[in-house]
Amino acid sequence: MDYEFENGRRYHAYKAGHYPLPNDESELDRLDLQHHVITLLLNGELHLAPLENPKRILDIGTGTGLWAIEMADRYPDAIVTGTDLSPVQPTWVPENVRFEIDDVESEWLYKPNSFDYIHSRYMIGAIEDWKAMIHRAYKHCKPGGYFEIQELDPRLGSDDGSVVKSQMHLLYTTKIVEASEKYGKPVPVHNEYKQWIEDAGFVDVKEYFFKIPVNTWPKNKQLKEVGKYQLINYTEGYEGIGIGLFTRMLGWQPTEFQVLLARLRQELKDRTIHAYQPFAVIVGRKPFPSGSRQPTPGSRQDTPASTSGLHGTSDQSSTSSIHERRSIPELNAYGRHGDVGNENAAVVSTDAVPNNAAFKPCRLPTILNPHPPFERI
């Protein structure tokens, strides 16, 4: 398939211009690194939906296909289909993986009620109408099946106010959001997705907010590791993420953009800036028709997958304490239960955050084995 080239970067030709990021080797390497960042953040888990022996899985915007390939290995009885605008996926894959060139914003060609699980990750900048996309997911999800969104919010935050020193990074992320809006692909705030998923008809919707540090400033070893790889991700990847949006939509010259990048890369290394970006995971279940009492296909009810690094199994006789059917503790409006809330915690989990609520840090429920709090440097 032909490609298009601009500013020394390669872009997809199918529906050219529909997605503003490149698809060359540098970007593909970055996408694989990004996958590692999120897997590390989630303690090795690929999803938080409570899946059990799913048969059909759809990964929209599959990119390099790494998530789909790992899901196929984890669920060998499932057929995993990954779709993308770019034909950049490998050909040597598990026999239960399928890759298709398709546009998620066009009408899906699958039959309704086809999938036990539909997964969407890092689609910011690619979606014009999030509500329409979520409604398509609802239409094609089986009754009892799950839909999960995992998305970064690029807007920077810090608990101690040190983010104000990150002038170049704040400029970059602000302009990315502005340019995406002009491009017709608005970037949602991290706490907007849940309402849209509920409005589409999904039930038992859970949302979990994580913080991704932008460098190695946390003292916690795991979060420092996350920050180490995120620093590489941004140092090497911010050019590809931004150059198309800055030059096409904001009128910047490539040389102006490169000057910003040079200053930003120096700033990213400053460990006195305790900056992070919210990462949201939202899971919803498609209900059965009224009056139906059928068991949920390919899923476990009410309990999210553990983020302990252990994986589920389809063998019902093989269970561990991590898969005990326990309910999540009831949370208040900011995700706190009792006095467990910690203003410096690394992870937020909440089932009832108002759309206009501030990003409030607290711990995940015990069953999710949360990260320890951020520690000051």
Side-chain angles (χ1 to χ4, degrees), residues 194-263:
K194 182 186 178 187
Q195 187 63 55
W196 297 340
I197 291 176
E198 290 177 334
D199 291 344
F202 290 99
V203 297
D204 300 330
V205 179
K206 312 291 183 184
E207 65 181 354
Y208 306 97
F209 297 150
F210 299 78
K211 295 178 182 179
I212 300 182
V214 301
N215 63 25
T216 58
W217 67 263
K219 288 185 177 180
N220 173 267
K221 291 182 179 180
Q222 182 177 1
L223 292 169
K224 185 181 290 291
E225 189 82 353
V226 170
K228 179 179 75 173
Y229 288 111
Q230 189 72 329
L231 175 61
I232 298 171
N233 182 23
Y234 285 164
T235 301
E236 299 182 358
Y238 260 173
E239 179 188 37
I241 293 172
I243 191 167
L245 289 170
F246 273 73
T247 57
R248 297 176 200 170
M249 306 312 303
L250 302 179
W252 285 45
Q253 295 299 313
T255 51
E256 293 179 293
F257 180 70
Q258 293 298 336
V259 170
L260 170 63
L261 278 183
R263 297 176 65 185

Side-chain angles (χ1 to χ4, degrees), residues 102-171:
D102 201 3
D103 178 11
V104 67
E105 295 209 277
S106 298
E107 194 63 31
W108 297 6
L109 301 180
Y110 312 107
K111 294 181 179 179
N113 305 317
S114 294
F115 296 98
D116 298 303
Y117 175 61
I118 299 176
H119 172 261
S120 170
R121 187 175 72 181
Y122 269 104
M123 294 295 285
I124 55 170
I127 301 298
E128 179 178 343
D129 189 340
W130 280 91
K131 295 179 181 179
M133 187 272 281
I134 293 170
H135 276 274
R136 290 189 187 98
Y138 182 86
K139 175 181 177 181
H140 293 279
C141 197
K142 291 180 181 179
Y146 285 88
F147 174 55
E148 180 166 343
I149 287 179
Q150 299 183 6
E151 283 297 338
L152 180 83
D153 185 342
R155 301 166 180 90
L156 292 172
S158 66
D159 293 332
D160 59 1
S162 59
V163 72
V164 298
K165 297 188 295 181
S166 193
Q167 292 299 307
M168 295 301 102
H169 203 176
L170 286 168
L171 174 62

